[in-house]
């Protein structure tokens, strides 16, 4: 039998061996040899190739200065979604390659480096920007940006998504120009900032005590009374609190700090080497001018909005207290409102649960545009 079996199956065996050889010996992986090569790979992978798509990186004159925006989407007839980044100064544009690509199938997504942040900081420089770094100027910039987008894309209404510090700007915008918004989407929503700080400090101290971390306990206890009513938290105290809060996963759930998110910036096709080099200087600049003031505000006093409200909250967010934002959500009145909990997230919802973020935008936000026939025809 062996003399008849082997010849019969020899061709098949040869084919299998040949196929196996092809599968088992792929070309060796070659790491990118430079940042330029790495960012080109990212750019090529996410290139917008649809006939009516939009892929723009440009300066827009807002508030008397040139400010940088990235505008991307598969169909310019889709509703516009403007993301207001956090910080102040923690830009989202250079890491948006990771979390945003799916959004672009349903929205025309605008990333904007605000005054004093990212590419806009590098473009203008600190001497020019410093006299203008006020909360009111930042809110007026946001109003101007939305007005420009409405004209540029011929849409009466847009979506605004505010993250962290950007949620302060977004909530102000929703109060001042509700008629311009399909809905306001708050992520890591600022409410009563001093109470949020106190809750974050108390949680962090509890984690340190459970961990037996004597150094953290001593440093955190030295800050008491932390964020007392009516007083600004010194930035040095804030940084001590944040150091340990981040260490225990209050910013990124079950991870110590935002190192991965910070590293992702270096893969941004939108950012030149000079932009990357300037990003942390810009972040410190914006923080120094704006953060302490913002942390004295009680946005929980907002009781009514005249546009739909969506909140995307990380269950484990202690950087900006999600429990406090949920309490505000229960009190505020709006034509429509929806709270979506992200059970595996802290403060970086779009990075920690990007799939659920996309699904939530499509499920809860997009219908507001559809009701006004502000979506592309299928």
């Amino acid at each position: 039998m062996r003399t008849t079996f082997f010849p019969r199956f020899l061709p098949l065996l040869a084919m299998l061996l040949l196929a196996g050889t092809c599968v088992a010996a792929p070309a060796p992986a070659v790491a990118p040899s430079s940042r330029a090569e790495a960012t080109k790979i990212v750019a090529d992978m996410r290139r917008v190739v649809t006939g009516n798509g939009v892929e723009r990186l440009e300066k827009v004159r807002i508030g008397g200065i040139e400010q940088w925006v990235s505008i991307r989407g598969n169909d310019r007839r889709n509703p516009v979604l403007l993301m207001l980044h956090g910080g102040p100064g923690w830009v989202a544009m250079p890491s948006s390659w990771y979390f945003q690509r799916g959004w672009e199938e349903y929205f025309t997504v605008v990333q904007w480096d605000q005054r004093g942040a990212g590419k806009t900081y590098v473009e203008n420089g600190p001497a020019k920007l410093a006299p203008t770094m006020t909360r009111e100027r930042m809110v007026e910039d946001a109003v101007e940006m939305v007005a420009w987008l409405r004209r540029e894309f011929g849409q009466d209404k847009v979506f605004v998504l505010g993250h962290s510090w950007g949620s302060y700007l977004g909530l102000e915008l929703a109060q001042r120009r509700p008629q311009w918004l399909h809905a306001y989407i708050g992520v890591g929503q600022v409410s009563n900032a001093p109470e949020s700080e106190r809750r974050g400090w108390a949680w962090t101290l509890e984690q340190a005590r459970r961990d037996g971390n004597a150094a953290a306990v001593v440093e955190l206890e030295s800050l008491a009374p932390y964020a007392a009513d009516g007083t600004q938290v010194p930035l040095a105290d804030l940084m001590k609190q944040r150091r340990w809060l981040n260490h225990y996963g209050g910013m990124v759930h079950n991870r110590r700090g935002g190192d991965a998110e910070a590293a992702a910036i270096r893969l941004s096709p939108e950012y030149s080497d000079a932009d990357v080099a300037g990003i942390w200087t810009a972040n410190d600049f914006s923080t120094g001018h704006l953060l302490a003031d913002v942390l004295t505000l009680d946005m929980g006093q907002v009781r009514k909005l005249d546009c739909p409200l969506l909140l995307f909250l990380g269950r484990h967010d202690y950087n900006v207290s999600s429990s406090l934002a949920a309490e505000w959500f229960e009190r505020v009145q709006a034509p429509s409102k929806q709270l979506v909990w992200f059970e595996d997230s802290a403060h970086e919802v779009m990075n920690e649960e990007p799939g659920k973020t996309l699904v939530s935008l499509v499920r809860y936000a997009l219908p507001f545009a559809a009701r006004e026939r502000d979506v592309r025809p299928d």
Side-chain angles (χ1 to χ4, degrees), residues 57-275:
L57 178 65
E58 62 192 81
K59 294 180 285 189
V60 181
R61 193 156 188 86
I62 297 292
I65 64 170
E66 299 297 315
Q67 304 202 32
W68 279 91
V69 294
S70 163
I71 307 174
R72 298 175 50 85
N74 281 14
D75 195 317
R76 59 178 295 117
R77 294 171 296 176
N78 282 336
V80 171
L81 187 157
L82 169 65
M83 181 170 179
L84 304 175
H85 67 68
W90 181 255
V91 282
M93 186 192 300
S95 57
S96 62
W97 62 266
Y98 172 73
F99 64 81
Q100 182 182 292
R101 188 64 187 95
W103 302 11
E104 296 164 13
E105 298 178 34
Y106 301 92
F107 304 90
T108 298
V109 186
V110 182
Q111 292 288 350
W112 162 38
D113 281 9
Q114 299 162 21
R115 179 184 300 265
K119 292 173 70 70
T120 298
Y121 172 88
V122 174
E123 177 74 26
N124 292 280
K128 182 177 182 179
L129 293 171
T132 72
M133 294 296 292
T134 66
R135 284 193 290 112
E136 183 58 28
R137 178 66 262 173
M138 302 296 283
V139 174
E140 290 173 358
D141 281 359
V143 172
E144 285 190 39
M145 181 60 71
V146 172
W148 180 79
L149 289 169
R150 293 171 69 236
R151 294 192 304 270
E152 185 72 9
F153 288 91
Q155 297 184 12
D156 289 336
K157 294 184 178 182
V158 304
F159 290 99
V160 168
L161 184 155
H163 176 233
S164 195
W165 146 262
S167 74
Y168 158 70
L169 297 179
L171 194 52
E172 286 283 356
L173 185 57
Q175 293 178 87
R176 300 184 188 198
R177 297 291 189 276
Q179 71 277 16
W180 289 2
L181 305 185
H182 288 302
Y184 166 62
I185 307 161
V187 182
Q189 179 65 50
V190 173
S191 51
N192 183 331
E195 176 60 18
S196 174
E197 286 300 304
R198 289 189 288 271
R199 291 191 188 188
W201 172 80
W203 176 83
T204 306
L205 182 56
E206 180 185 2
Q207 306 314 303
R209 286 171 174 163
R210 287 181 180 177
D211 192 30
N213 188 336
V217 170
V218 168
E219 190 162 59
L220 289 164
E221 287 181 341
S222 74
L223 305 180
Y226 182 76
D229 285 331
T231 62
Q232 285 191 1
V233 178
L235 282 179
D237 289 359
L238 178 71
M239 292 304 117
K240 291 176 183 177
Q241 187 257 31
R242 287 295 195 273
R243 173 193 172 195
W244 293 114
L245 183 145
N246 293 352
H247 175 81
Y248 286 110
M251 185 179 80
V252 184
H253 180 48
N254 278 342
R255 288 169 63 187
R256 296 190 170 185
D259 291 347
E261 290 75 17
I265 287 170
R266 297 185 61 213
L267 295 179
S268 170
E270 290 92 349
Y271 266 48
S272 68
D273 290 347
D275 295 332

